[in-house]
Amino acid sequence: LPDKFEIVGLAAGSNVDLLTEQIKKHNPKIVSVQDDATLAKLKDALSGWKGPMPELVCGKEGINDVAAYGDSDCVVTGIVGCAGLLPTVKAIEAGKDIALANKETLISGGPAILPLLRKHNVKMTPADSEHSAIFQSLQGVPPDSLRRIILTASGGAFRDFDAKELLRLCKEDPEFVRKKATTHPNWDMGAKITVDSATLMNKGLEVIEAHYLFGATYDQIDVVIHPQSILHSAIETVDSSVIGQLGWPDMRLPLVYAMSWPHRLNM
């Protein structure tokens, strides 16, 4: 959607080839990589390029610089784990709206992040599929009308295995179990979140995230196994209506909605 969004900054790890393609395609103003060695490789990859050269930075400070840079309106936080917390704080302090794809920000820092959002008058919208579905379902729902959140779960890679069979496979064929744990049946995701999904640990983290995002108590959040991943989550209102968001398992919709809310964009 290049007619709707301009990429101002990119923060990456060590995939220099992909990052070089993205720089040449999107012309960001600032780019960060994980360390000095990767920075040297990136500079070498960009040597001879005639396009506009972004400011190049690295390390934790580099990520923070990207998060708070210039006049960008929205920062998409998708760093894995608690490493995403400080850059998110820096972006909030710089007045950037947050499209949150890093659940650990709220899990590890929710009691500090929520007051910070209010202090800087910053919006935080969810970019995870389940929390985006809840957010979309809440549009137009009056305050104090939420009875419960219905958080769906695919069940992960081991949903069709009973405990005895899984224990046997762990003993007899651990390599099969490892490969199975890192292959999600519905979604194409990173290794950590795929393993967390296989153990349902990820769903526990999402319950905590939903608590902070939507102000629901933990008793108001139910988890339901839905193997097809078509209903991404739902809410029940106080009059017993159930409102949900359905769609194919494709992360583009929640990500775009997190950046474009309250608008709907033609995709």
Side-chain angles (χ1 to χ4, degrees):
L1 299 169
D3 58 325
K4 302 294 184 183
F5 302 106
E6 175 190 0
I7 295 178
V8 175
L10 292 170
S14 59
N15 191 337
V16 171
D17 292 339
L18 178 58
L19 182 58
T20 301
E21 292 177 15
Q22 293 173 340
I23 291 171
K24 293 179 178 180
K25 181 177 180 179
H26 299 295
N27 295 317
K29 298 175 182 176
I30 184 171
V31 173
S32 174
V33 292
Q34 67 179 17
D35 53 33
D36 289 322
T38 307
L39 182 60
K41 292 178 182 178
L42 180 61
K43 289 179 178 178
D44 184 61
L46 291 172
S47 64
W49 182 49
K50 303 303 182 184
M53 185 65 69
E55 179 183 349
L56 299 177
V57 293
C58 67
K60 294 180 180 179
E61 290 303 317
I63 296 174
N64 294 340
D65 290 344
V66 172
Y69 186 82
D71 58 354
S72 61
D73 302 306
C74 177
V75 173
V76 179
T77 61
I79 299 173
V80 176
C82 293
L85 177 59
L86 185 55
T88 304
V89 169
K90 296 298 185 182
I92 294 171
E93 290 176 340
K96 318 293 187 184
D97 290 333
I98 306 297
L100 185 71
N102 168 261
K103 61 177 65 69
E104 287 85 359
T105 290
L106 289 180
I107 292 163
S108 62
I113 291 293
L114 297 185
L116 202 62
L117 292 169
R118 291 189 290 268
K119 177 181 177 181
H120 294 278
N121 194 29
V122 164
K123 299 191 296 290
M124 175 177 281
T125 51
D128 277 341
S129 60
E130 295 88 349
H131 300 85
S132 176
I134 296 163
F135 184 55
Q136 293 179 61
S137 299
L138 283 168
Q139 301 305 302
V141 173
D144 302 321
S145 296
L146 177 66
R147 175 176 290 167
R148 65 178 176 133
I149 288 171
I150 304 167
L151 194 64
T152 57
S154 69
F158 298 120
R159 65 192 181 200
D160 297 321
F161 292 76
D162 63 38
K164 289 183 179 179
E165 182 183 10
L166 187 57
L167 181 60
R168 179 185 64 80
L169 286 168
C170 287
K171 293 178 179 178
E172 298 176 5
D173 195 353
E175 182 60 19
F176 168 82
V177 174
R178 186 194 67 79
K179 290 182 178 178
K180 189 72 174 176
T182 54
T183 306
H184 196 280
N186 299 340
W187 296 92
D188 182 12
M189 305 184 295
K192 178 185 182 298
I193 191 171
T194 303
V195 172
D196 284 349
S197 177
T199 63
L200 290 184
M201 180 65 185
N202 184 59
K203 202 54 53 177
L205 300 179
E206 288 180 353
V207 168
I208 300 171
E209 182 183 9
H211 162 70
Y212 285 115
L213 276 172
F214 306 112
T217 67
Y218 290 112
D219 288 337
Q220 288 179 293
I221 304 172
D222 293 336
V223 175
V224 175
I225 301 295
H226 170 54
Q228 295 79 14
S229 297
I230 298 299
L231 175 65
H232 296 300
S233 277
I235 64 168
E236 181 181 347
T237 56
V238 291
D239 61 0
S240 300
S241 294
V242 175
I243 304 169
Q245 187 264 327
L246 292 81
W248 298 115
D250 186 335
M251 284 304 300
R252 289 177 294 181
L253 172 59
L255 179 58
V256 169
Y257 190 71
M259 294 190 293
S260 64
W261 177 82
H263 306 289
R264 293 278 184 178
L265 301 184
N266 187 10
M267 295 172 58

